[in-house]
Amino acid sequence: MKTRRLGILGGTFDPIHDGHLEAGQAAKAALGLTDIVVVVSNLPPHRPQPFASSHHRFAMAAIAVAGRDRWRASDIELSVVTPSFTSNTLQRLHTGGWAPTDLFFIIGTDAFAEIESWKDYPAILTRTHFAVVSRPGFPVSTLPARLPGLAARMIAPGAPAPVAPAVFLIDAPTPDVSATTIRSRCAAAQSIDGLVPSGVRQHILQHALYSSSKRASPDASDDVSSRTTAGRLHGQD
Ligand code: ATP
């Protein structure tokens, strides 16, 4: 029986974009992952909140994976009231039967460079492999110098399968796009064609998600009380 190798693509996804999807695809191809799950994070109330609510961020992730073979969007971090920490999510996956060596946490070089500040560091390094994917301006080759204490764990995707969780370094030509750029372009009424899947673009525009700089409140849902929004909901103007 073929072993399942689960890629976990975690992030705020405010919104999900082609850079995220290409990073996931690059990790899937480089490491022979069988499945990818996009895990939308739930930020603690005391941290700056995302601009779109968790409901909209999850909706966009679900739209983005639609039709992608063996990709799923997960609400595992949204279905608990406590703030999301990757460490807790990994423990829930272990409880569900996943071995640490069958899990691959997919992450950009910029985010992995901050790993020492994560909850349960360094124990978290034993709970999953990390699949670190380059991002324009952040080649993976910078990581051994940035994190010298972890250099011995860093290996190339083609290396013999390690018995303990490792840090795989994957160079891939992911597009130069960020969620910040997309939000700014929306606020300036500029096109986001080619930066996000077309269904995600449609969802953003239809719900006017980033047309202002208002952030979501922790328990946010759409405000349908104003005439403007209610009118938009009913197709009026
Ligand atoms: P923001 O601009 O709001 O900071 P972001 O575009 O960096 O957002 P996140 O949701 O914070 O997106 O990122 C989730 C993960 O995806 C992180 O590990 C990040 O490094 C990675 N990532 C984001 N964009 C790219 C990209 N263009 N190429 C490769 N990895 C990326």
Side-chain angles (χ1 to χ4, degrees):
M1 193 182 80
K2 189 180 172 194
T3 313
R4 286 176 73 196
R5 291 159 74 88
L6 179 66
I8 305 161
L9 185 54
T12 313
F13 302 122
D14 191 22
I16 195 164
H17 55 65
D18 287 355
H20 299 132
L21 298 170
E22 288 298 321
Q25 193 53 46
K28 190 170 190 276
L31 298 168
L33 306 181
T34 55
D35 301 81
I36 295 208
V37 61
V38 178
V39 177
V40 179
S41 64
N42 187 14
L43 268 72
H46 59 272
R47 294 253 309 274
Q49 292 299 304
F51 291 85
S53 71
S54 56
H55 307 282
H56 278 303
R57 291 182 293 113
F58 178 81
M60 292 186 281
I63 291 168
V65 302
R68 286 183 167 248
D69 191 32
R70 304 199 71 128
W71 284 60
R72 285 180 295 127
S74 168
D75 64 356
I76 187 171
E77 294 193 356
L78 305 179
S79 55
V80 287
V81 286
T82 48
S84 45
F85 289 107
T86 299
S87 171
N88 299 352
T89 302
L90 293 170
Q91 278 171 327
R92 289 177 69 188
L93 289 167
H94 298 163
T95 304
W98 287 96
T101 47
D102 291 336
L103 300 175
F104 297 76
F105 193 86
I106 303 165
I107 183 169
T109 310
D110 57 318
F112 188 75
E114 306 299 326
I115 189 76
E116 289 161 317
S117 65
W118 284 29
K119 181 173 182 277
D120 291 338
Y121 178 87
I124 194 166
L125 296 168
T126 65
R127 298 189 180 150
T128 177
H129 292 295
F130 280 85
V132 187
V133 182
S134 60
R135 188 172 179 169
F138 299 95
V140 288
S141 56
T142 57
L143 282 177
R146 171 76 177 77
L147 299 167
L150 300 187
R153 288 175 177 267
M154 297 179 188
I155 57 176
V163 288
V167 176
F168 290 95
L169 301 185
I170 301 164
D171 255 319
T174 62
D176 192 5
V177 47
S178 72
T180 304
T181 307
I182 291 165
R183 294 193 301 270
S184 308
R185 293 187 68 85
C186 289
Q190 292 169 336
S191 167
I192 55 169
D193 285 1
L195 304 180
V196 296
S198 63
V200 172
R201 176 184 151 277
Q202 203 170 12
H203 185 91
I204 291 170
L205 298 178
Q206 194 165 343
H207 297 87
L209 290 189
Y210 303 116
S211 53
S212 82
S213 56
K214 199 173 134 223
R215 289 178 185 270
S217 61
D219 56 352
S221 54
D222 275 340
D223 175 9
V224 292
S225 59
S226 76
R227 193 199 166 280
T228 317
T229 310
R232 199 187 306 128
L233 279 176
H234 293 102
Q236 303 157 1
D237 211 4

